[in-house]
Amino acid sequence: MNSTLRSRCAKAIGAGALSVALLSAGTAGAFAASPSAASPRPKPIMTETTKPTGTGTAKPTKSGSPMANGSITARVSKVQVKPGQSVTFTGRAKGVKVGTKVELLHMHNGKWTPLKSSTVLKNGSSYSLVTKFNNKGKEELRVMAGKIVSPTVVVTVK
């Protein structure tokens, strides 16, 4: 009994120390990345650009677009399922109004396309989506609320 309690205490202390280290490193990085008032602002320069050729794979970003302010998380109940088995996606959003539509997207032929599963943000900015996958293979998925998208989650259907 005592060894279990000591083990739990040691784990809690270790997790706390790790959290403090990560938090302080993130804060230091944020201060280092923010421009100071003493440094001059760069002036924009007009340059000629050309349109890219060919099609590339869409790269998911945390915020969907550089101008979007907010974030959304995506957690999946099971990373490996059988065909026809239900999978639940849950998460929270920041910077998105309650009642905003939340859609589940999947990568199909190099493009993010919406699935039929959608819901709205509840009080507390949380959501829960349930869907089923019938085709075997790996599904690259993410959720979108407004213009904010989550990081990609992979579910394997075997």
Side-chain angles (χ1 to χ4, degrees), residues 68-131:
N69 292 326
S71 64
I72 189 165
T73 61
R75 244 188 265 170
V76 63
S77 60
K78 300 169 190 164
V79 293
Q80 186 172 336
V81 295
K82 294 179 181 179
Q85 193 174 4
S86 293
V87 179
T88 303
F89 292 84
T90 57
R92 290 183 175 261
K94 290 182 183 177
V96 182
K97 290 182 181 180
V98 172
T100 301
K101 184 177 180 180
V102 178
E103 287 184 294
L104 184 61
L105 307 173
H106 77 119
M107 180 64 80
H108 182 69
N109 294 333
K111 293 185 180 182
W112 290 103
T113 58
L115 295 174
K116 292 181 181 178
S117 185
S118 67
T119 187
V120 294
L121 279 178
K122 298 182 238 173
N123 287 338
S125 297
S126 64
Y127 70 90
S128 180
L129 287 165
V130 179
T131 191

Side-chain angles (χ1 to χ4, degrees), residues 58-74:
K59 303 274 186 193
T61 60
K62 185 175 182 181
S63 61
S65 73
M67 300 306 274
N69 292 326
S71 64
I72 189 165
T73 61

Side-chain angles (χ1 to χ4, degrees), residues 2-31:
N2 283 339
S3 65
T4 305
L5 184 59
R6 286 183 191 149
S7 166
R8 287 183 184 166
C9 288
K11 287 180 184 177
I13 290 170
L18 181 61
S19 297
V20 168
L22 290 173
L23 185 61
S24 62
T27 305
F31 281 119

Side-chain angles (χ1 to χ4, degrees), residues 131-142:
T131 191
K132 293 181 181 181
F133 299 105
N134 295 322
N135 299 332
K136 291 184 178 182
K138 288 190 177 189
E139 289 282 348
E140 290 183 60
L141 304 151
R142 67 183 186 183

